[in-house]
Amino acid sequence: MIRSERIPERYRIPLETGDGGDLLEFRYSHGDNEKRALVYRPAAAKNCGERKFPAVYLFHGGGDSEESFFGSPAKSPAERTPLVPMLDRMIAEGILAPCFVVTPTYYGSDPGNARVHAGDAAKLTGEFWRELNSSLIPAVDTAFPTVRDRDSRAAGGFSMGAEATWNVLAKGAETVRYYLPMSGDFWAVEVKGGATHPSETSDALIDGIKKQGLGPGDYEIFAATGTGDIAWDAMSAMVNELLGRRPWFSPSEDGGNLSWCVSEGWHAYEWCWDYIAAALPRFFPAGK
Ligand code: FER
């Protein structure tokens, strides 16, 4: 177990305009849906010649939107979340490799679009890996200088976005090596099945991994939540079960593929900054 640490206050302070990355609006199609995502482009990716960068995909929580992780690009940096300043500073300080961070939505773009959550959103989070792999990743790789390789991609999410993340690993992991589920378990068996059916939930994840022909060296997970989080019971039961499922999962402390990071936090993006700051440099250390 890794004890989560709060981000330093300086990570919340925007860099001087022009020194950091940009927050861009990005449009792509998925079937009949015209979709919108936000994209953080690291400063190093402007006029970068042939250089290519890793990409991190982050999925929002139930009822939220593609703007939940970053805030609106229409607002001033001071009115947004700390995520852009934090990424800028971690990259500038040589902690994190310059990388793109993409925040899509698993909700459709139709006008009557209901932002359902919890059990109703699980139909969407269970399927989003298809859109990620067939539409979003190809669109990002076409529009931006990203490395076209699963070793240079991470997928993570908060709450129902964590549910979407576990589904990418279980069903569509050919595109992604690194996983960052935050405050959410895998609802393969039922809602909060990590608590009610930890063994069957773990079986579903491992069966999915096996079906894809992947081995334990092909994926790495940084799972995180807080002891005061509504996902604590379900996620801790599930992760503790997974930690004993050798060889498919084993603790990173033993050189394995699963890190379990615990804070004192609750169910809010405010605690995700800490988890993201801890996880991303493990996936994409500076100088790699
Ligand atoms: C969880 C606890 C809560 C979880 C999701 C939620 C996927 C989401 C609740 C909501 O959208 O209202 O363990 O895991």
Side-chain angles (χ1 to χ4, degrees):
M1 197 260 272
I2 297 164
R3 197 184 291 265
S4 187
E5 286 176 27
R6 300 321 310 265
I7 55 167
E9 278 307 306
R10 69 176 186 283
Y11 281 11
R12 296 175 181 274
I13 305 167
L15 293 182
E16 293 295 320
T17 308
D19 290 353
D22 322 293
L23 186 61
L24 309 171
E25 275 192 307
F26 182 62
R27 312 258 173 191
Y28 66 101
S29 331
H30 177 65
D32 294 337
N33 270 296
E34 289 304 315
K35 300 292 300 271
R36 177 175 183 261
L38 300 187
V39 174
Y40 166 81
R41 176 175 58 190
K46 287 179 246 179
N47 309 315
C48 61
E50 293 298 299
R51 188 172 171 197
K52 301 229 186 299
F53 302 87
V56 179
Y57 293 83
L58 293 178
F59 315 134
H60 60 73
D64 297 338
S65 81
E66 68 273 21
E67 295 190 343
S68 298
F69 274 105
F70 284 116
S72 168
K75 289 189 174 164
S76 74
E79 295 173 294
R80 298 183 201 144
T81 76
L83 188 52
V84 166
M86 179 176 113
L87 294 166
D88 280 344
R89 287 184 184 269
M90 290 176 70
I91 293 166
E93 292 177 13
I95 296 167
L96 173 65
C99 54
F100 282 81
V101 178
V102 182
T103 57
T105 179
Y106 41 81
Y107 296 121
S109 56
D110 51 303
N113 166 23
R115 294 188 174 261
V116 293
H117 70 114
D120 296 319
K123 291 180 206 70
L124 303 172
T125 55
E127 291 290 318
F128 189 69
W129 63 274
R130 296 181 194 277
E131 176 172 333
L132 176 74
N133 288 353
S134 66
S135 299
L136 178 56
I137 287 176
V140 167
D141 285 347
T142 303
F144 299 105
T146 42
V147 185
R148 299 177 178 209
D149 190 303
R150 69 188 296 279
D151 295 349
S152 295
R153 294 196 198 99
F158 167 62
S159 189
M160 292 312 294
E163 215 283 312
T165 303
W166 292 114
N167 274 281
V168 177
L169 176 57
K171 300 171 191 168
E174 75 270 19
T175 53
V176 176
R177 173 183 285 273
Y178 301 102
Y179 297 87
L180 173 56
M182 299 177 275
S183 298
D185 60 315
F186 182 33
W187 290 359
V189 177
E190 65 173 3
V191 168
K192 296 204 185 173
T196 57
H197 297 83
S199 180
E200 293 83 349
T201 298
S202 301
D203 288 345
L205 183 57
I206 292 166
D207 285 349
I209 289 165
K210 284 187 195 165
K211 273 195 193 127
Q212 297 176 76
L214 298 170
D218 295 327
Y219 46 89
E220 196 173 314
I221 296 121
F222 190 98
T225 193
T227 51
D229 198 296
I230 56 168
W232 170 256
D233 287 352
M235 197 178 192
S236 61
M238 175 183 169
V239 172
N240 283 320
E241 172 76 22
L242 288 178
L243 285 167
R245 293 293 193 100
R246 291 169 192 267
W248 300 99
F249 292 96
S250 55
S252 55
E253 288 88 343
D254 301 346
N257 57 9
L258 177 55
S259 299
W260 175 222
C261 176
V262 176
S263 78
E264 292 168 357
W266 50 90
H267 205 65
Y269 288 93
E270 199 44 46
W271 295 91
C272 292
W273 317 137
D274 303 354
Y275 311 145
I276 294 167
L280 296 194
R282 289 176 170 247
F283 301 162
F284 308 123
K288 200 179 152 186

PDB file of all heavy atoms in Angstrom, residues 61-63 116-119 121 159-163 166 183-187 192 229-232 234-235 267, ligand 1:
ATOM      1  N   GLY A  61     -16.507  11.357 -13.868  1.00  0.00           N
ATOM      2  CA  GLY A  61     -17.455  10.627 -13.032  1.00  0.00           C
ATOM      3  C   GLY A  61     -18.885  10.723 -13.541  1.00  0.00           C
ATOM      4  O   GLY A  61     -19.194  11.517 -14.443  1.00  0.00           O
ATOM      5  N   GLY A  62     -19.778   9.942 -12.953  1.00  0.00           N
ATOM      6  CA  GLY A  62     -21.185   9.899 -13.357  1.00  0.00           C
ATOM      7  C   GLY A  62     -21.847  11.265 -13.233  1.00  0.00           C
ATOM      8  O   GLY A  62     -21.687  11.950 -12.219  1.00  0.00           O
ATOM      9  N   GLY A  63     -22.570  11.674 -14.293  1.00  0.00           N
ATOM     10  CA  GLY A  63     -23.249  12.961 -14.293  1.00  0.00           C
ATOM     11  C   GLY A  63     -22.366  14.126 -14.704  1.00  0.00           C
ATOM     12  O   GLY A  63     -22.855  15.243 -14.880  1.00  0.00           O
ATOM     13  N   VAL A 116     -26.902  10.339 -17.101  1.00  0.00           N
ATOM     14  CA  VAL A 116     -27.231   9.361 -16.067  1.00  0.00           C
ATOM     15  C   VAL A 116     -25.973   8.996 -15.293  1.00  0.00           C
ATOM     16  O   VAL A 116     -24.867   9.135 -15.786  1.00  0.00           O
ATOM     17  CB  VAL A 116     -27.849   8.099 -16.698  1.00  0.00           C
ATOM     18  CG1 VAL A 116     -29.204   8.422 -17.293  1.00  0.00           C
ATOM     19  CG2 VAL A 116     -26.937   7.506 -17.776  1.00  0.00           C
ATOM     20  N   HIS A 117     -26.161   8.520 -14.083  1.00  0.00           N
ATOM     21  CA  HIS A 117     -24.988   8.120 -13.317  1.00  0.00           C
ATOM     22  C   HIS A 117     -25.211   6.765 -12.665  1.00  0.00           C
ATOM     23  O   HIS A 117     -26.207   6.089 -12.920  1.00  0.00           O
ATOM     24  CB  HIS A 117     -24.581   9.218 -12.313  1.00  0.00           C
ATOM     25  CG  HIS A 117     -25.523   9.394 -11.174  1.00  0.00           C
ATOM     26  ND1 HIS A 117     -25.178   9.117  -9.878  1.00  0.00           N
ATOM     27  CD2 HIS A 117     -26.799   9.820 -11.142  1.00  0.00           C
ATOM     28  CE1 HIS A 117     -26.215   9.382  -9.090  1.00  0.00           C
ATOM     29  NE2 HIS A 117     -27.192   9.808  -9.826  1.00  0.00           N
ATOM     30  N   ALA A 118     -24.233   6.345 -11.897  1.00  0.00           N
ATOM     31  CA  ALA A 118     -24.262   5.070 -11.172  1.00  0.00           C
ATOM     32  C   ALA A 118     -24.710   3.927 -12.108  1.00  0.00           C
ATOM     33  O   ALA A 118     -24.216   3.821 -13.212  1.00  0.00           O
ATOM     34  CB  ALA A 118     -25.119   5.197  -9.929  1.00  0.00           C
ATOM     35  N   GLY A 119     -25.674   3.106 -11.668  1.00  0.00           N
ATOM     36  CA  GLY A 119     -26.053   1.905 -12.414  1.00  0.00           C
ATOM     37  C   GLY A 119     -26.482   2.192 -13.844  1.00  0.00           C
ATOM     38  O   GLY A 119     -26.236   1.378 -14.744  1.00  0.00           O
ATOM     39  N   ALA A 121     -25.333   4.613 -15.771  1.00  0.00           N
ATOM     40  CA  ALA A 121     -24.151   4.969 -16.565  1.00  0.00           C
ATOM     41  C   ALA A 121     -23.296   3.746 -16.866  1.00  0.00           C
ATOM     42  O   ALA A 121     -22.491   3.762 -17.803  1.00  0.00           O
ATOM     43  CB  ALA A 121     -23.306   6.015 -15.827  1.00  0.00           C
ATOM     44  N   SER A 159     -14.445   7.569 -10.339  1.00  0.00           N
ATOM     45  CA  SER A 159     -15.784   7.070 -10.043  1.00  0.00           C
ATOM     46  C   SER A 159     -16.328   6.228 -11.212  1.00  0.00           C
ATOM     47  O   SER A 159     -15.733   5.217 -11.550  1.00  0.00           O
ATOM     48  CB  SER A 159     -16.694   8.246  -9.677  1.00  0.00           C
ATOM     49  OG  SER A 159     -17.925   7.796  -9.203  1.00  0.00           O
ATOM     50  N   MET A 160     -17.410   6.639 -11.906  1.00  0.00           N
ATOM     51  CA  MET A 160     -17.849   5.862 -13.067  1.00  0.00           C
ATOM     52  C   MET A 160     -16.763   5.846 -14.142  1.00  0.00           C
ATOM     53  O   MET A 160     -16.710   4.932 -14.968  1.00  0.00           O
ATOM     54  CB  MET A 160     -19.162   6.403 -13.640  1.00  0.00           C
ATOM     55  CG  MET A 160     -20.381   6.212 -12.729  1.00  0.00           C
ATOM     56  SD  MET A 160     -20.556   4.547 -12.053  1.00  0.00           S
ATOM     57  CE  MET A 160     -20.869   3.599 -13.530  1.00  0.00           C
ATOM     58  N   GLY A 161     -15.881   6.842 -14.129  1.00  0.00           N
ATOM     59  CA  GLY A 161     -14.730   6.830 -15.041  1.00  0.00           C
ATOM     60  C   GLY A 161     -13.734   5.743 -14.678  1.00  0.00           C
ATOM     61  O   GLY A 161     -13.021   5.227 -15.557  1.00  0.00           O
ATOM     62  N   ALA A 162     -13.656   5.380 -13.405  1.00  0.00           N
ATOM     63  CA  ALA A 162     -12.833   4.236 -12.994  1.00  0.00           C
ATOM     64  C   ALA A 162     -13.466   2.947 -13.522  1.00  0.00           C
ATOM     65  O   ALA A 162     -12.769   2.033 -13.980  1.00  0.00           O
ATOM     66  CB  ALA A 162     -12.693   4.188 -11.476  1.00  0.00           C
ATOM     67  N   GLU A 163     -14.802   2.904 -13.477  1.00  0.00           N
ATOM     68  CA  GLU A 163     -15.516   1.739 -14.018  1.00  0.00           C
ATOM     69  C   GLU A 163     -15.188   1.582 -15.501  1.00  0.00           C
ATOM     70  O   GLU A 163     -14.881   0.479 -15.969  1.00  0.00           O
ATOM     71  CB  GLU A 163     -17.030   1.927 -13.794  1.00  0.00           C
ATOM     72  CG  GLU A 163     -17.792   0.649 -13.497  1.00  0.00           C
ATOM     73  CD  GLU A 163     -18.055  -0.199 -14.728  1.00  0.00           C
ATOM     74  OE1 GLU A 163     -18.512   0.339 -15.758  1.00  0.00           O
ATOM     75  OE2 GLU A 163     -17.809  -1.415 -14.665  1.00  0.00           O
ATOM     76  N   TRP A 166     -11.546   0.144 -15.774  1.00  0.00           N
ATOM     77  CA  TRP A 166     -11.434  -1.320 -15.584  1.00  0.00           C
ATOM     78  C   TRP A 166     -11.925  -2.056 -16.832  1.00  0.00           C
ATOM     79  O   TRP A 166     -11.386  -3.102 -17.211  1.00  0.00           O
ATOM     80  CB  TRP A 166     -12.271  -1.767 -14.378  1.00  0.00           C
ATOM     81  CG  TRP A 166     -11.790  -1.316 -13.029  1.00  0.00           C
ATOM     82  CD1 TRP A 166     -12.436  -0.458 -12.180  1.00  0.00           C
ATOM     83  CD2 TRP A 166     -10.586  -1.721 -12.336  1.00  0.00           C
ATOM     84  NE1 TRP A 166     -11.701  -0.296 -11.024  1.00  0.00           N
ATOM     85  CE2 TRP A 166     -10.575  -1.054 -11.083  1.00  0.00           C
ATOM     86  CE3 TRP A 166      -9.522  -2.571 -12.665  1.00  0.00           C
ATOM     87  CZ2 TRP A 166      -9.530  -1.223 -10.152  1.00  0.00           C
ATOM     88  CZ3 TRP A 166      -8.495  -2.732 -11.743  1.00  0.00           C
ATOM     89  CH2 TRP A 166      -8.502  -2.066 -10.510  1.00  0.00           C
ATOM     90  N   SER A 183     -11.155   5.868  -7.256  1.00  0.00           N
ATOM     91  CA  SER A 183     -12.439   5.871  -6.538  1.00  0.00           C
ATOM     92  C   SER A 183     -13.569   5.221  -7.323  1.00  0.00           C
ATOM     93  O   SER A 183     -14.645   5.794  -7.487  1.00  0.00           O
ATOM     94  CB  SER A 183     -12.823   7.309  -6.142  1.00  0.00           C
ATOM     95  OG  SER A 183     -11.849   7.826  -5.269  1.00  0.00           O
ATOM     96  N   GLY A 184     -13.321   4.008  -7.792  1.00  0.00           N
ATOM     97  CA  GLY A 184     -14.377   3.249  -8.451  1.00  0.00           C
ATOM     98  C   GLY A 184     -13.947   1.814  -8.665  1.00  0.00           C
ATOM     99  O   GLY A 184     -12.775   1.547  -8.936  1.00  0.00           O
ATOM    100  N   ASP A 185     -14.880   0.888  -8.512  1.00  0.00           N
ATOM    101  CA  ASP A 185     -14.600  -0.533  -8.729  1.00  0.00           C
ATOM    102  C   ASP A 185     -15.173  -0.955 -10.079  1.00  0.00           C
ATOM    103  O   ASP A 185     -15.695  -0.136 -10.842  1.00  0.00           O
ATOM    104  CB  ASP A 185     -15.143  -1.383  -7.566  1.00  0.00           C
ATOM    105  CG  ASP A 185     -16.646  -1.257  -7.386  1.00  0.00           C
ATOM    106  OD1 ASP A 185     -17.162  -0.125  -7.422  1.00  0.00           O
ATOM    107  OD2 ASP A 185     -17.317  -2.297  -7.223  1.00  0.00           O
ATOM    108  N   PHE A 186     -15.043  -2.235 -10.386  1.00  0.00           N
ATOM    109  CA  PHE A 186     -15.435  -2.790 -11.689  1.00  0.00           C
ATOM    110  C   PHE A 186     -16.798  -3.440 -11.520  1.00  0.00           C
ATOM    111  O   PHE A 186     -16.961  -4.313 -10.662  1.00  0.00           O
ATOM    112  CB  PHE A 186     -14.359  -3.810 -12.094  1.00  0.00           C
ATOM    113  CG  PHE A 186     -14.547  -4.474 -13.431  1.00  0.00           C
ATOM    114  CD1 PHE A 186     -15.128  -3.831 -14.510  1.00  0.00           C
ATOM    115  CD2 PHE A 186     -14.068  -5.773 -13.624  1.00  0.00           C
ATOM    116  CE1 PHE A 186     -15.258  -4.459 -15.739  1.00  0.00           C
ATOM    117  CE2 PHE A 186     -14.182  -6.413 -14.847  1.00  0.00           C
ATOM    118  CZ  PHE A 186     -14.778  -5.758 -15.904  1.00  0.00           C
ATOM    119  N   TRP A 187     -17.783  -2.993 -12.327  1.00  0.00           N
ATOM    120  CA  TRP A 187     -19.153  -3.459 -12.147  1.00  0.00           C
ATOM    121  C   TRP A 187     -19.509  -4.577 -13.140  1.00  0.00           C
ATOM    122  O   TRP A 187     -20.615  -4.615 -13.688  1.00  0.00           O
ATOM    123  CB  TRP A 187     -20.127  -2.276 -12.246  1.00  0.00           C
ATOM    124  CG  TRP A 187     -20.005  -1.351 -11.071  1.00  0.00           C
ATOM    125  CD1 TRP A 187     -19.166  -1.485  -9.991  1.00  0.00           C
ATOM    126  CD2 TRP A 187     -20.753  -0.139 -10.833  1.00  0.00           C
ATOM    127  NE1 TRP A 187     -19.334  -0.447  -9.108  1.00  0.00           N
ATOM    128  CE2 TRP A 187     -20.302   0.405  -9.595  1.00  0.00           C
ATOM    129  CE3 TRP A 187     -21.750   0.543 -11.531  1.00  0.00           C
ATOM    130  CZ2 TRP A 187     -20.820   1.584  -9.062  1.00  0.00           C
ATOM    131  CZ3 TRP A 187     -22.267   1.719 -11.000  1.00  0.00           C
ATOM    132  CH2 TRP A 187     -21.810   2.219  -9.772  1.00  0.00           C
ATOM    133  N   LYS A 192     -21.391  -1.968  -7.658  1.00  0.00           N
ATOM    134  CA  LYS A 192     -20.536  -2.150  -6.471  1.00  0.00           C
ATOM    135  C   LYS A 192     -20.204  -3.621  -6.205  1.00  0.00           C
ATOM    136  O   LYS A 192     -20.035  -4.055  -5.065  1.00  0.00           O
ATOM    137  CB  LYS A 192     -21.153  -1.483  -5.239  1.00  0.00           C
ATOM    138  CG  LYS A 192     -21.238   0.030  -5.426  1.00  0.00           C
ATOM    139  CD  LYS A 192     -21.271   0.778  -4.117  1.00  0.00           C
ATOM    140  CE  LYS A 192     -21.483   2.271  -4.375  1.00  0.00           C
ATOM    141  NZ  LYS A 192     -21.686   3.051  -3.161  1.00  0.00           N
ATOM    142  N   ASP A 229     -14.060   7.748   1.220  1.00  0.00           N
ATOM    143  CA  ASP A 229     -14.710   7.799  -0.101  1.00  0.00           C
ATOM    144  C   ASP A 229     -15.872   6.806  -0.154  1.00  0.00           C
ATOM    145  O   ASP A 229     -15.762   5.698   0.389  1.00  0.00           O
ATOM    146  CB  ASP A 229     -13.657   7.447  -1.165  1.00  0.00           C
ATOM    147  CG  ASP A 229     -14.043   7.875  -2.554  1.00  0.00           C
ATOM    148  OD1 ASP A 229     -15.044   7.344  -3.085  1.00  0.00           O
ATOM    149  OD2 ASP A 229     -13.321   8.710  -3.130  1.00  0.00           O
ATOM    150  N   ILE A 230     -16.962   7.173  -0.837  1.00  0.00           N
ATOM    151  CA  ILE A 230     -18.102   6.240  -0.980  1.00  0.00           C
ATOM    152  C   ILE A 230     -17.712   4.986  -1.763  1.00  0.00           C
ATOM    153  O   ILE A 230     -18.418   3.985  -1.710  1.00  0.00           O
ATOM    154  CB  ILE A 230     -19.341   6.894  -1.647  1.00  0.00           C
ATOM    155  CG1 ILE A 230     -18.971   7.475  -3.013  1.00  0.00           C
ATOM    156  CG2 ILE A 230     -19.969   7.944  -0.743  1.00  0.00           C
ATOM    157  CD1 ILE A 230     -20.183   7.867  -3.864  1.00  0.00           C
ATOM    158  N   ALA A 231     -16.577   5.034  -2.490  1.00  0.00           N
ATOM    159  CA  ALA A 231     -16.096   3.851  -3.222  1.00  0.00           C
ATOM    160  C   ALA A 231     -15.145   3.003  -2.366  1.00  0.00           C
ATOM    161  O   ALA A 231     -14.684   1.954  -2.833  1.00  0.00           O
ATOM    162  CB  ALA A 231     -15.388   4.274  -4.505  1.00  0.00           C
ATOM    163  N   TRP A 232     -14.847   3.449  -1.146  1.00  0.00           N
ATOM    164  CA  TRP A 232     -13.821   2.762  -0.347  1.00  0.00           C
ATOM    165  C   TRP A 232     -14.129   1.276  -0.157  1.00  0.00           C
ATOM    166  O   TRP A 232     -13.290   0.420  -0.430  1.00  0.00           O
ATOM    167  CB  TRP A 232     -13.638   3.440   1.023  1.00  0.00           C
ATOM    168  CG  TRP A 232     -12.776   2.620   1.930  1.00  0.00           C
ATOM    169  CD1 TRP A 232     -13.184   1.849   2.980  1.00  0.00           C
ATOM    170  CD2 TRP A 232     -11.343   2.443   1.827  1.00  0.00           C
ATOM    171  NE1 TRP A 232     -12.102   1.205   3.540  1.00  0.00           N
ATOM    172  CE2 TRP A 232     -10.970   1.549   2.864  1.00  0.00           C
ATOM    173  CE3 TRP A 232     -10.362   2.942   0.968  1.00  0.00           C
ATOM    174  CZ2 TRP A 232      -9.635   1.152   3.053  1.00  0.00           C
ATOM    175  CZ3 TRP A 232      -9.043   2.541   1.162  1.00  0.00           C
ATOM    176  CH2 TRP A 232      -8.703   1.664   2.196  1.00  0.00           C
ATOM    177  N   ALA A 234     -16.088  -0.860  -1.760  1.00  0.00           N
ATOM    178  CA  ALA A 234     -16.077  -1.673  -2.980  1.00  0.00           C
ATOM    179  C   ALA A 234     -14.678  -1.758  -3.580  1.00  0.00           C
ATOM    180  O   ALA A 234     -14.227  -2.834  -3.990  1.00  0.00           O
ATOM    181  CB  ALA A 234     -17.054  -1.095  -3.998  1.00  0.00           C
ATOM    182  N   MET A 235     -13.982  -0.628  -3.616  1.00  0.00           N
ATOM    183  CA  MET A 235     -12.683  -0.639  -4.285  1.00  0.00           C
ATOM    184  C   MET A 235     -11.633  -1.346  -3.436  1.00  0.00           C
ATOM    185  O   MET A 235     -10.802  -2.096  -3.969  1.00  0.00           O
ATOM    186  CB  MET A 235     -12.242   0.781  -4.608  1.00  0.00           C
ATOM    187  CG  MET A 235     -11.139   0.805  -5.647  1.00  0.00           C
ATOM    188  SD  MET A 235     -10.662   2.481  -6.054  1.00  0.00           S
ATOM    189  CE  MET A 235      -9.659   2.171  -7.506  1.00  0.00           C
ATOM    190  N   HIS A 267     -15.034  11.375  -1.970  1.00  0.00           N
ATOM    191  CA  HIS A 267     -15.365  11.156  -3.381  1.00  0.00           C
ATOM    192  C   HIS A 267     -15.411  12.484  -4.125  1.00  0.00           C
ATOM    193  O   HIS A 267     -16.492  13.035  -4.365  1.00  0.00           O
ATOM    194  CB  HIS A 267     -16.719  10.443  -3.453  1.00  0.00           C
ATOM    195  CG  HIS A 267     -16.940   9.644  -4.701  1.00  0.00           C
ATOM    196  ND1 HIS A 267     -16.185   8.542  -5.023  1.00  0.00           N
ATOM    197  CD2 HIS A 267     -17.848   9.778  -5.713  1.00  0.00           C
ATOM    198  CE1 HIS A 267     -16.620   8.033  -6.164  1.00  0.00           C
ATOM    199  NE2 HIS A 267     -17.622   8.769  -6.603  1.00  0.00           N
TER     200      HIS A 267
HETATM  201  C1  FER B   1     -18.143   3.259  -6.628  1.00  0.00           C
HETATM  202  C2  FER B   1     -18.875   4.139  -5.846  1.00  0.00           C
HETATM  203  C3  FER B   1     -19.672   5.121  -6.451  1.00  0.00           C
HETATM  204  C4  FER B   1     -18.202   3.400  -8.008  1.00  0.00           C
HETATM  205  C5  FER B   1     -18.970   4.373  -8.612  1.00  0.00           C
HETATM  206  C6  FER B   1     -19.705   5.230  -7.836  1.00  0.00           C
HETATM  207  C7  FER B   1     -17.571   2.492 -10.110  1.00  0.00           C
HETATM  208  C8  FER B   1     -20.535   6.214  -8.571  1.00  0.00           C
HETATM  209  C9  FER B   1     -21.652   6.744  -8.143  1.00  0.00           C
HETATM  210  C10 FER B   1     -22.451   7.685  -8.965  1.00  0.00           C
HETATM  211  O1  FER B   1     -22.194   7.879 -10.157  1.00  0.00           O
HETATM  212  O2  FER B   1     -23.391   8.223  -8.400  1.00  0.00           O
HETATM  213  O3  FER B   1     -17.387   2.247  -6.100  1.00  0.00           O
HETATM  214  O4  FER B   1     -17.449   2.512  -8.735  1.00  0.00           O
END
